[in-house]
């Protein structure tokens, strides 16, 4: 059995202290984020600015749109995103994380294998190692294997049938399905929340952005895991100096999922209530709405014609209608014969406030607008020709 024993004389006594685990993890994440921004920034920044300006322009055009309550169908999408957020945050808890034997036993990475598993056995029921412990023990006997353990977790080190420490990238290929599995679940959650069947138009407009974000998170996770220096822990002298990358990546991934869900939920809420990102109806939608209004008016006019035919054909209804109009004519005649009304009409005609010719012209244009000029001319009596 290979034992690990590194002499402390390899390291100079006056070297500066090694950063703690938290600082290591933060520096690695910041470095990876900086590299991603430098690589993808020139491509993503113009698109983000164009999208923002487009949304701002559309929102400016529709400032008069009143705020409305959130539609009921968007509540289903927000519930899906809320459930995804809760599950993502729960996945960051240590209870759901795989066991880390170095944290559990407070051991250094250079601790001899027998000592490491003796400490581990003392923490097991009946002071006996489990079958998984026996499978893992020969696989992390070397320093490189322990660095890979902290990089990819115990599942990969224990069960990979083709992985070798001499070919460290083989561990990445075996771990790749496990890396992508949470992203696939989150991708389905985003897809369901932005599907037209659940969220209709207000939610489906965010579908492309959700797809891009889901793919971007998966690519970033794979790239950070594959490009990280897996030997970074080889020089850690204390257990608290170890960079537990696998466990830290699980936390950051869950937090990233939760933040993405909250952001999309906020966008869907402000857009669904017409507070922001209001998209005006297209020309086709406006035309469709106008056609529906015309169809409704045409239907009401047709119904009015049917009612009119019924009234005319029924003798009793026809007599009531004729009686109404005779009474109406008598009432109006009495009104026009009153002294005040007659004086008012004479004053308006005499002062020029009302032009009879203008009134006749307005009536003619109104009639032409209803029945058309051709029909109006056909209805006028023909003048006899001069012989």
């Amino acid at each position: 059995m290979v034992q690990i024993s590194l002499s402390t004389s390899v390291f100079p006594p006056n070297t500066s202290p090694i950063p703690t685990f938290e600082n290591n993890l933060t520096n690695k994440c910041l470095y990876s984020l900086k590299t991603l921004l430098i690589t993808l920034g020139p491509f993503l920044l113009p698109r983000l600015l164009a999208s923002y300006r487009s949304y701002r322009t559309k929102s400016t055009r529709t400032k008069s749109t009143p705020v409305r309550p959130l539609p009921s169908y968007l509540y289903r999408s927000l519930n899906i995103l809320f459930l995804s957020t809760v599950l993502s945050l729960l996945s960051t808890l240590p209870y759901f994380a795989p066991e880390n034997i170095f944290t559990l036993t407070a051991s250094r990475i250079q601790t001899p294998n027998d000592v490491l598993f003796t400490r581990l056995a003392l923490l097991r029921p009946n002071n006996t190692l489990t079958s998984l412990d026996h499978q893992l023990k020969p696989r992390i006997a070397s320093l490189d294997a322990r660095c890979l353990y902290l990089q990819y977790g115990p599942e990969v080190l224990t069960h990979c049938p083709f992985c070798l420490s001499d070919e460290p990238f083989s561990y990445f290929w075996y771990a790749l399905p496990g890396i992508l599995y949470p992203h696939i679940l989150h991708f389905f959650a985003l897809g369901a929340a932005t599907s037209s069947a659940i969220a209709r138009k207000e939610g489906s407009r965010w579908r492309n952005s959700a797809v891009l974000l889901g793919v971007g998170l998966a690519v970033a996770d794979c790239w950070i895991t594959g490009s990280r220096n897996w030997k970074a822990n080889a020089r850690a002298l204390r257990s608290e100096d170890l960079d537990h990358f696998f466990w830290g990546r699980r936390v950051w991934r869950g937090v990233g999922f939760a933040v993405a869900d909250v952001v999309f939920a906020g966008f869907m809420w402000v857009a669904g209530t017409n507070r922001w990102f209001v998209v005006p109806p297209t020309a086709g939608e406006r035309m469709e709405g106008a056609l529906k209004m015309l169809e409704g008016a045409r239907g009401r006019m047709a119904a009015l014609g049917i009612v009119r035919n019924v009234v005319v054909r029924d003798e009793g209804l026809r007599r009531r209608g004729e009686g109404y109009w005779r009474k109406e004519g008598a009432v109006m005649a009495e009104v026009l014969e009153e002294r005040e009304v007659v004086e008012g009409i004479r004053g308006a005609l005499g002062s020029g406030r009302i032009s009879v010719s203008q009134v006749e012209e307005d009536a003619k244009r109104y009639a032409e607008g209803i029945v058309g000029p051709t029909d109006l001319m056909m209805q006028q009596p023909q003048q006899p020709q001069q012989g």
Side-chain angles (χ1 to χ4, degrees), residues 25 84-98 182 246-259:
L25 182 59
S84 176
T85 302
V86 172
L87 294 178
S88 299
L89 293 178
L90 287 177
S91 68
T92 64
L93 298 178
Y95 178 80
F96 300 100
F246 173 78
W247 290 265
R249 180 173 58 83
R250 293 183 74 259
V251 174
W252 284 107
R253 182 178 59 203
V255 172
F257 288 168
V259 170

Side-chain angles (χ1 to χ4, degrees), residues 45-291:
L45 186 59
R47 294 181 178 272
L48 293 175
L49 290 176
S51 300
Y52 174 76
R53 289 169 182 168
S54 175
Y55 282 126
R56 289 292 296 173
T57 302
K58 293 177 180 178
S59 300
T60 303
R61 292 176 181 173
T62 56
K63 281 185 177 179
S64 59
T65 304
V67 176
R68 63 174 183 177
L70 187 69
S72 58
Y73 49 84
L74 283 181
Y75 277 106
R76 296 192 292 267
S77 297
L78 296 185
N79 288 335
I80 293 174
L81 293 175
F82 174 76
L83 179 61
S84 176
T85 302
V86 172
L87 294 178
S88 299
L89 293 178
L90 287 177
S91 68
T92 64
L93 298 178
Y95 178 80
F96 300 100
E99 191 178 63
N100 186 348
I101 61 175
F102 291 98
T103 303
L104 190 63
T105 60
S107 301
R108 300 179 300 112
I109 197 171
Q110 296 87 2
T111 302
N113 216 33
D114 291 337
V115 175
L116 177 64
F117 281 89
T118 299
R119 295 175 180 175
L120 184 62
L122 295 176
L123 301 175
R124 299 297 190 203
N126 301 323
N127 296 332
T128 304
L129 296 175
T130 64
S131 58
L132 292 178
D133 296 336
H134 287 291
Q135 294 179 25
L136 180 63
K137 185 176 181 179
R139 291 177 177 265
I140 61 170
S142 64
L143 181 61
D144 288 347
R146 296 186 177 191
C147 291
L148 291 169
Y149 174 89
L150 296 175
Q151 174 86 359
Y152 297 106
E155 179 74 18
V156 175
L157 266 291
T158 304
H159 297 100
C160 182
F162 58 85
C163 299
L164 298 173
S165 299
D166 297 336
E167 298 179 3
F169 213 68
S170 60
Y171 290 91
F172 172 77
W173 294 118
Y174 185 82
L176 186 60
I179 297 174
L180 294 177
Y181 179 71
H183 291 277
I184 294 174
L185 295 180
H186 184 246
F187 190 80
F188 276 118
L190 291 178
T194 57
S195 65
S196 58
I198 295 178
R200 299 185 186 177
K201 182 180 177 181
E202 285 83 353
S204 61
R205 60 183 289 197
W206 304 103
R207 193 172 185 83
N208 292 336
S209 301
V211 170
L212 291 176
L213 180 61
V215 172
L217 289 175
V219 171
D221 196 358
C222 295
W223 183 81
I224 292 174
T225 304
S227 62
R228 178 184 177 274
N229 180 18
W230 59 275
K231 286 189 174 182
N233 286 309
R235 295 176 60 88
L237 297 179
R238 299 174 300 174
S239 60
E240 56 268 20
D241 296 334
L242 293 176
D243 181 4
H244 304 269
F245 175 78
F246 173 78
W247 290 265
R249 180 173 58 83
R250 293 183 74 259
V251 174
W252 284 107
R253 182 178 59 203
V255 172
F257 288 168
V259 170
D261 294 335
V262 170
V263 168
F264 272 106
F267 283 160
M268 294 175 69
W269 183 78
V270 297
T273 56
N274 289 339
R275 284 179 168 85
W276 203 20
F277 301 119
V278 181
V279 178
T282 62
E285 292 174 345
R286 292 195 298 269
M287 184 176 296
E288 182 180 359
L291 289 176

Side-chain angles (χ1 to χ4, degrees), residues 238-376:
R238 299 174 300 174
S239 60
E240 56 268 20
D241 296 334
L242 293 176
D243 181 4
H244 304 269
F245 175 78
F246 173 78
W247 290 265
R249 180 173 58 83
R250 293 183 74 259
V251 174
W252 284 107
R253 182 178 59 203
V255 172
F257 288 168
V259 170
D261 294 335
V262 170
V263 168
F264 272 106
F267 283 160
M268 294 175 69
W269 183 78
V270 297
T273 56
N274 289 339
R275 284 179 168 85
W276 203 20
F277 301 119
V278 181
V279 178
T282 62
E285 292 174 345
R286 292 195 298 269
M287 184 176 296
E288 182 180 359
L291 289 176
K292 288 182 178 179
M293 291 179 62
L294 290 176
E295 287 292 334
R298 180 177 178 274
R300 288 190 292 271
M301 292 296 291
L304 182 60
I306 294 173
V307 173
R308 178 62 180 171
N309 287 334
V310 172
V311 172
V312 172
R313 293 175 184 274
D314 187 87
E315 183 177 356
L317 294 176
R318 185 172 65 250
R319 288 179 179 176
R320 292 182 61 182
E322 292 173 353
Y324 169 80
W325 288 114
R326 281 195 300 267
K327 184 178 179 181
E328 183 70 16
V331 171
M332 292 303 299
E334 292 178 359
V335 171
L336 293 175
E337 290 176 358
E338 292 181 0
R339 181 178 177 180
E340 293 82 359
V341 176
V342 173
E343 292 178 353
I345 293 174
R346 287 177 181 177
L349 293 175
S351 62
R353 288 182 298 170
I354 297 178
S355 175
V356 177
S357 60
Q358 183 65 34
V359 172
E360 292 177 350
E361 186 65 24
D362 292 341
K364 182 179 179 181
R365 284 198 299 267
Y366 180 76
E368 288 178 353
I370 296 176
V371 299
T374 305
D375 297 339
L376 190 63

